[in-house]
Structure formats: structure tokens, C-alpha cells
Amino acid sequence: MRPRLFVISGPSGAGKGTLVARVRNRRSLLDVAISCTTRRPRKGEVHGRDYYFLSDSEFLAREDAGEFIESAYVHGHRYGTLKSEVERIMNQGNSCILEIDVQGGTSVKDLFPNTVLIFVETPNLDDLEERLRKRKSESDKDIELRLNNAAKEMVLSSTYDEIVVNDDIERATNELLIILQAYENEET
Ligand code: 5GP
């Protein structure tokens, strides 16, 4: 097994977080890099576990200091992948998952061409809207923004190496586990 860098992207509400959590529960030698963001924490989110929640000025200072391998403006907030997180995980000999948007995924692939880009999507946009509304963590305006961005992201999914349709969480988890393993076992 060779540790790999995986990017998991997909529209907000497609179930990326749940899928990644399930995969982590069923596998060792795998960790998720914690990103920085300027968005406010949602109910139940913890600083240092879900994200490093930063002010705009803190974020910009860390960006100026070259701490991010990529950063992007997503749904009106800044997000960035910490170089130190990726190094921490990969230096332990584990595969690293970045749960980031399509702009970020594309930047990481440019920087590290060996990165595997995986796109998670729902069978259609109606399902996505239903999930976002059920989550009750975003305002109507924010849901509209996330749905508009979803349509754009889905067009860009053609540049990704793998697409997982999250029609059934158990099936999608198994598919993702198989994909990760296949790349880790790939001959080079
Ligand atoms: P959320 O606010 O729902 O946690 O995340 C919104 C979007 O930002 C999601 O598509 C998520 O994958 C993406 N995101 C999270 N962290 C990063 C990051 O470090 N870089 C980039 N480019 N996108 C990120």
C-alpha cells in the first residue's frame, strides 16, 4: 500500500462529510486534513476538529506567510488547505484526504499531479436541495447560493478522476473504500 493524496469535492449537501467520516471509521492509515476557514462555526462544529475557524485578518496573515498549499473563496468565505496538515498526515505514512472545493482540487492537482480527484454528487439537484433544507444549518439565501454553485461544480466534475454518486450511503461508502484502495495499490 502506498499512501496517496486524495481530494474529495462535490456540492454542498452531497454528503461528502458523512461519507468521509464513514470511510475513516472503517479504515486505518487514512486521515483528513483540517482546513482553515473564515466562515462562522455551525452548531456542533469544533475549532481544531472540523476546521480552524479564523478571522479574515488571521487568514490573510497565514496566507501571506505561505502556510496554504491552496486557498479559495467559496460561498462568500475564505477556505485554505494547510501545508502543515498534509505533511503531518503523509509523514506518518497515511493517505491524506482533502475535503475541498473544485477550485482547490484543481490547484492541488496542478501542484501534485499524482493527486486523485474524487467527485461526490447526488443523483440530481432536487435531492441536493432537499438535503440542504433538512440540514437546517443555512439560511434560504445561503441555500440558493450553494445550489447555484452546485450546478457550476457539477459541470467541472468531468475533470475529476472518479465520480461517486451518493444515492445510497452504504453503497457509496463501499464504492469510495474500493476506489481509495485501488489507487493505493496502483503499480507505478
Ligand atoms: P462548508 O462551509 O459547507 O464546510 O464548506 C463549503 C465548501 O468549501 C465545500 O465545498 C468544502 O469542500 C470547501 N472547502 C472546505 N475546506 C476547503 C479548503 O481548504 N479549500 C478549498 N478550496 N475548499 C474548501
Side-chain angles (χ1 to χ4, degrees):
M1 178 253 186
R2 198 162 55 100
R4 301 289 299 254
L5 183 58
F6 295 102
V7 163
I8 301 203
S9 304
S12 181
K16 289 173 305 223
T18 312
L19 259 180
V20 168
R22 287 171 66 101
V23 162
R24 274 182 94 187
N25 278 338
R26 290 181 30 190
R27 266 223 31 189
S28 54
L29 304 176
L30 182 73
D31 208 349
V32 183
I34 302 164
S35 290
C36 293
T37 182
T38 59
R39 115 163 133 63
R40 297 291 101 222
R42 295 192 189 112
K43 213 168 153 240
E45 282 184 330
V46 177
H47 178 80
R49 185 194 67 189
D50 300 292
Y51 279 106
Y52 293 108
F53 295 100
L54 306 180
S55 66
D56 258 337
S57 56
E58 283 168 333
F59 190 100
L60 293 175
R62 295 184 77 158
E63 190 165 54
D64 284 348
E67 290 189 30
F68 299 130
I69 57 173
E70 66 76 35
S71 65
Y73 202 64
V74 192
H75 314 317
H77 304 282
R78 298 178 199 282
Y79 293 81
T81 305
L82 285 169
K83 203 186 289 178
S84 57
E85 272 293 292
V86 178
E87 282 172 0
R88 173 183 67 78
I89 294 168
M90 302 217 57
N91 287 344
Q92 287 169 344
N94 293 335
S95 285
C96 178
I97 292 186
L98 307 180
E99 203 193 307
I100 64 178
D101 84 322
V102 173
Q103 308 167 66
T106 310
S107 309
V108 173
K109 183 103 179 181
D110 284 345
L111 212 55
F112 307 111
N114 213 16
T115 306
V116 183
L117 300 181
I118 304 170
F119 195 84
V120 174
E121 63 184 24
T122 48
N124 56 59
L125 282 174
D126 289 345
D127 285 328
L128 195 64
E129 181 165 0
E130 195 186 321
R131 286 192 212 198
L132 277 173
R133 294 204 185 280
K134 272 198 192 142
R135 194 157 89 172
K136 290 199 169 72
S137 55
E138 278 86 19
S139 64
D140 282 351
K141 195 167 148 248
D142 214 31
I143 288 177
E144 204 176 306
L145 176 66
R146 284 171 183 253
L147 283 171
N148 274 330
N149 288 345
K152 288 184 204 151
E153 283 208 312
M154 280 158 112
V155 173
L156 294 172
S157 68
S158 58
T159 61
Y160 269 51
D161 299 303
E162 304 287 339
I163 296 182
V164 175
V165 178
N166 188 10
D167 47 359
D168 173 271
I169 189 72
E170 182 60 18
R171 194 206 60 74
T173 306
N174 287 330
E175 185 181 348
L176 187 53
L177 281 164
I178 290 168
I179 290 172
L180 300 182
Q181 209 178 23
Y183 280 96
E184 288 169 339
N185 292 336
E186 198 179 60
E187 302 282 330
T188 46

